Amino acid sequence: MQRYILSKKNSITMIIAILIVFAFSGRFVLDNMIIFNWSLIVASILGVAPIMIQAYQALKVKVVSIDVLVTIAVLGALLIQNYEESSIVTFLFLFGSYLEQRTLNKTRSAIKELTDLAPESALKQMENKEYEEVNVNDVDEGDILLVKTGAKVPVDGTVLTGEGHINEASITGESVPVRKRVDSEVFAGTILENGTLQIRSDRIGEDTTFGRIIELVEEAQDSKSEAERFIDRFSKYYTPAVLVLSFIVWLFSRESELAITILVLGCPGALVIGVPVSNVAGIGNGARNGVLLKGSEVINDFSKVDTIVFDKTGTLTVGNPEVAEKEFYGDNTEEILGYLASVERESDHPIAKAVLQDIGKTTFSTVEETEVIKGEGIVAKIGVHRIAVGNVALMEKENVKLGKKAKKDVELFEKNGNSLVLTAIDGELKILMGIRDQIRPGVRKVLRSLKMLGVKNLVVLSGDNQGTVDLVARELKLTEAHGHMLPEKKAAYIENLQAKGQIVAFVGDGVNDSPSLALANIGIAMGSGTDVAIETSDVVLMNSDFSRLPHALGLTKITSRNMKQNITIAIGVVLILLTSLLFSEWMNMSIGMLVHEASILVVILNGMRLLRYRRENDFNRTHA
């Protein structure tokens, strides 16, 4: 019965409205007080039923909720035969609940849009090589799928044949179609705008990037910030306090109506709903725009950041370096390049890829006993030869002597902004390569925007040589630049900044810099939605889109400000209502309830403004 009554709350609200209109028509048109009183009594009883059930359910778990206050107030108004107040209060409370739920559903529209994009079926290649439409849950890793024009990509996979353009807005927030060809990665939930692709299923269901995004955003929207936890504690003590205040007022004044009205006006509805709606709307906006925020606590901390530390490669730079200069020392150049290529193809590092691209076709050898020296390079054996490939620090560790010419070349290459790759065979330097990476397009504009948003210090930390790092810092006008930084040194540097009282965000690739991402107040991953990026960071910039960073910071600042506005509105309204009730003649239960419900609607609408936030709008206001 309880469930049935609660399911009909909206219908009950409509019936109450009709009964109230009928009651006042009976009084003022027909001059019939019997119709007036009984219509309002029926309206009050109908209206208080769902409120009383909710109050009972709250009391069962030892929570004195707003519903408890309203139930007592309505029953009290019925007892003193103030039917007009009791019916209007129940209508306003139920109607306010309806508006609240409706507007809250709108703030969750980002999640709904995401879940609506979740693929439901796939064209799967069967044993007879024909394609059949199956439920996406029937797709396994390794299956061959066909994606046609206009269809959703059902899983994360790799293109085997075909070519086309895919709208990846559900993953990156960017609606510009991305060209896909053989060996390209595709993501579940994205839409093939033209072409036909045959793909291999690599990740399915909740393990897809899209599935992880939905899970992350839902968890973030359900998480509670310190402000919300404070409000929960506040409400726990506040509601009983209102009951006590009402009883004390009745003891001294013996005015039952005044005591009951205090119960109605003291309801902290806007306070309870104000912060969560801001949190939900802010995280929803981020999800739409390629920015994943892991909860409202992240929003609060990120909004206060005054120092941002960047990894260089793949963050400030494109992460696709090329060999710009090289020097050879000794003979047998082709054989040595073959050894170098054999060692470098063991690594996925961007610099290794640059070396392999420069060498091109060569003869590869079998590599044995490979040892990766973190932050320095690789040592391996090829036949009887010991091969060392890495920076100057590795050469020193391997006791490789650098001649005068080599030292001059190293100095010159560093001055030109190169990362160095030295190759030694059996303790003798054979090759020096200078590798340069290009600065990401638009980075200067992004850094200017961050400064405008209140970030005081912009720092780059890199494992590259100091010359390379200084060159990037000068070009981008960064506050500080430090090279030769191993992951441990980066983490120690961040701890030092925090010890000085700075609130630090670290922007990295989510793989090599996990200690720094974990230590920083806010870890921001340039991750293309990779699993590692999603797991290790507080904020993920999808598709490694650096230009989203100002939007992310601006969004957290305006969301945090929005939360404070809603708290101020809620507390201010309750104080004004109670003050007016005690020290003025015009305030009554109906007017107070109307203002109370209006305040709930105001904080919800204020929170919903965040759904429309764009960094460009904030920028335009700043420069208006």
Side-chain angles (χ1 to χ4, degrees), residues 244-254 258-259 262 582:
V244 172
L245 174 63
S246 174
F247 180 69
I248 291 172
V249 168
W250 179 80
L251 277 179
F252 282 94
S253 68
R254 295 294 172 174
L258 177 61
I262 287 174
L582 296 173

Side-chain angles (χ1 to χ4, degrees), residues 446-518:
V446 168
L447 297 179
R448 282 198 303 271
S449 294
L450 293 176
K451 286 180 179 178
M452 288 168 51
L453 285 165
V455 179
K456 297 174 183 175
N457 305 304
L458 299 172
V459 182
V460 60
L461 305 180
S462 176
D464 281 344
N465 63 76
Q466 191 63 46
T468 301
V469 179
D470 286 339
L471 193 72
V472 171
R474 282 195 300 272
E475 196 166 342
L476 297 178
K477 298 179 181 178
L478 301 176
T479 313
E480 294 180 45
H482 301 277
H484 300 297
M485 297 286 279
L486 298 175
E488 293 82 1
K489 285 187 176 180
K490 290 181 182 180
Y493 182 85
I494 287 172
E495 284 184 318
N496 184 48
L497 290 177
Q498 291 171 325
K500 294 177 182 177
Q502 297 180 28
I503 300 175
V504 182
F506 181 85
V507 187
D509 59 15
V511 182
N512 299 324
D513 296 307
S514 53
S516 298
L517 283 167

Side-chain angles (χ1 to χ4, degrees), residues 342-567:
S342 300
V343 173
E344 289 289 42
R345 74 172 179 170
E346 300 286 308
S347 171
D348 288 329
H349 196 282
I351 287 180
K353 293 179 181 178
V355 170
L356 285 170
Q357 186 177 356
D358 183 74
I359 293 173
K361 290 184 179 180
T362 188
T363 303
F364 293 102
S365 305
T366 303
V367 179
E368 302 170 352
E369 299 179 23
T370 302
E371 181 185 2
V372 177
I373 313 297
K374 189 181 289 185
E376 294 180 359
I378 301 175
V379 177
K381 285 194 72 175
I382 297 179
V384 297
H385 299 295
R386 182 176 176 84
I387 317 294
V389 180
N391 56 23
V392 174
L394 181 62
M395 297 300 111
E396 291 174 356
K397 187 176 287 187
E398 289 290 306
N399 296 315
V400 176
K401 303 294 182 183
L402 302 185
K404 286 184 179 180
K405 183 178 187 311
K407 287 180 179 177
K408 283 186 178 179
D409 290 339
V410 165
E411 188 178 335
L412 178 63
F413 280 27
E414 284 189 343
K415 188 177 179 181
N416 292 340
N418 292 295
S419 298
L420 303 183
V421 175
L422 296 89
T423 304
I425 299 180
D426 298 328
E428 291 186 16
L429 180 66
K430 295 297 183 181
I431 305 174
L432 168 64
M433 287 184 170
I435 297 173
R436 282 200 291 267
D437 196 0
Q438 300 300 313
I439 290 174
R440 279 181 180 271
V443 163
R444 295 172 186 81
K445 182 180 177 182
V446 168
L447 297 179
R448 282 198 303 271
S449 294
L450 293 176
K451 286 180 179 178
M452 288 168 51
L453 285 165
V455 179
K456 297 174 183 175
N457 305 304
L458 299 172
V459 182
V460 60
L461 305 180
S462 176
D464 281 344
N465 63 76
Q466 191 63 46
T468 301
V469 179
D470 286 339
L471 193 72
V472 171
R474 282 195 300 272
E475 196 166 342
L476 297 178
K477 298 179 181 178
L478 301 176
T479 313
E480 294 180 45
H482 301 277
H484 300 297
M485 297 286 279
L486 298 175
E488 293 82 1
K489 285 187 176 180
K490 290 181 182 180
Y493 182 85
I494 287 172
E495 284 184 318
N496 184 48
L497 290 177
Q498 291 171 325
K500 294 177 182 177
Q502 297 180 28
I503 300 175
V504 182
F506 181 85
V507 187
D509 59 15
V511 182
N512 299 324
D513 296 307
S514 53
S516 298
L517 283 167
L519 270 174
N521 299 88
I522 294 293
I524 303 171
M526 303 280 294
S528 296
T530 60
D531 290 343
V532 175
I534 289 176
E535 292 297 333
T536 60
S537 60
D538 301 302
V539 179
V540 181
L541 304 180
M542 301 307 295
N543 205 33
S544 293
D545 191 347
F546 193 78
S547 66
R548 303 283 178 182
L549 189 52
H551 179 87
L553 180 55
L555 178 62
T556 59
K557 283 182 176 293
I558 197 170
T559 302
S560 181
R561 189 161 60 243
N562 195 275
M563 289 181 186
K564 292 171 185 174
Q565 289 170 353
N566 280 351
I567 290 172

Side-chain angles (χ1 to χ4, degrees), residues 167 229 261 307 380 432 463 583 599 624:
N167 184 329
R229 290 194 291 270
T261 305
T307 299
L432 168 64
F583 301 104
S599 71

Side-chain angles (χ1 to χ4, degrees), residues 7-159:
S7 69
K8 298 296 181 181
K9 264 175 48 172
N10 292 342
S11 299
I12 290 171
T13 305
M14 187 179 297
I15 293 169
I16 294 171
I18 294 169
L19 285 170
I20 290 173
V21 171
F22 183 68
F24 281 95
S25 298
R27 178 176 178 178
F28 295 108
V29 177
L30 303 176
D31 195 24
N32 190 323
M33 291 301 295
I34 294 176
I35 293 176
F36 177 73
N37 287 328
W38 278 103
S39 295
L40 294 181
I41 290 170
V42 173
S44 300
I45 294 171
L46 277 175
V48 82
I51 302 171
M52 190 182 295
I53 290 169
Q54 290 170 173
Y56 169 70
Q57 291 174 344
L59 288 172
K60 275 205 308 185
V61 293
K62 299 179 181 179
V63 174
V64 184
S65 66
I66 298 171
D67 304 278
V68 174
L69 296 181
V70 175
T71 299
I72 296 171
V74 171
L75 292 177
L78 282 170
L79 284 174
I80 63 174
Q81 298 183 1
N82 193 335
Y83 309 131
E84 186 177 333
E85 300 283 9
S86 61
S87 58
I88 291 175
V89 165
T90 55
F91 168 72
L92 289 172
F93 188 78
L94 292 174
F95 186 62
S97 176
Y98 163 74
L99 291 177
E100 178 183 316
Q101 192 57 51
R102 181 166 181 150
T103 47
L104 268 177
N105 287 340
K106 287 187 179 180
T107 64
R108 291 186 177 271
S109 59
I111 288 292
K112 188 176 185 301
E113 287 173 13
L114 283 176
T115 52
D116 285 348
L117 284 172
E120 296 177 353
S121 62
L123 287 173
K124 177 179 173 180
Q125 189 180 76
M126 312 307 284
E127 290 183 3
N128 61 4
K129 301 302 179 182
E130 296 291 323
Y131 289 96
E132 289 185 16
E133 186 170 351
V134 298
N135 189 288
V136 73
N137 295 323
D138 295 328
V139 175
D140 297 316
E141 291 182 9
D143 285 346
I144 307 301
L145 308 175
L146 187 68
V147 185
K148 297 180 179 180
T149 298
K152 294 174 186 174
V153 178
V155 296
D156 283 6
T158 305
V159 177

Side-chain angles (χ1 to χ4, degrees), residues 575-588:
L575 289 175
I576 290 170
L577 288 176
L578 290 178
T579 303
S580 301
L581 178 64
L582 296 173
F583 301 104
S584 73
E585 299 294 329
W586 59 272
M587 180 58 67
N588 59 38

Side-chain angles (χ1 to χ4, degrees), residues 248-351:
I248 291 172
V249 168
W250 179 80
L251 277 179
F252 282 94
S253 68
R254 295 294 172 174
E255 292 186 30
S256 300
E257 187 169 347
L258 177 61
I260 292 168
T261 305
I262 287 174
L263 294 180
V264 174
L265 305 193
C267 297
L271 183 63
V272 172
I273 199 67
V275 173
V277 76
S278 299
N279 172 41
V280 169
I283 292 171
N285 178 297
R288 280 178 172 170
N289 290 284
V291 176
L292 300 186
L293 301 166
K294 284 190 173 181
S296 53
E297 201 62 56
V298 169
I299 292 173
N300 181 56
D301 291 343
F302 195 8
S303 68
K304 299 174 183 176
V305 161
D306 55 20
T307 299
I308 299 184
V309 179
F310 302 93
D311 176 43
K312 182 180 75 68
T313 305
T315 302
L316 295 178
T317 59
V318 175
N320 188 25
E322 297 177 352
V323 176
E325 303 176 78
K326 54 189 172 185
E327 283 290 338
F328 296 93
Y329 309 93
D331 301 323
N332 301 325
T333 302
E334 291 300 321
E335 183 182 9
I336 294 166
L337 286 173
Y339 288 161
L340 173 58
S342 300
V343 173
E344 289 289 42
R345 74 172 179 170
E346 300 286 308
S347 171
D348 288 329
H349 196 282
I351 287 180

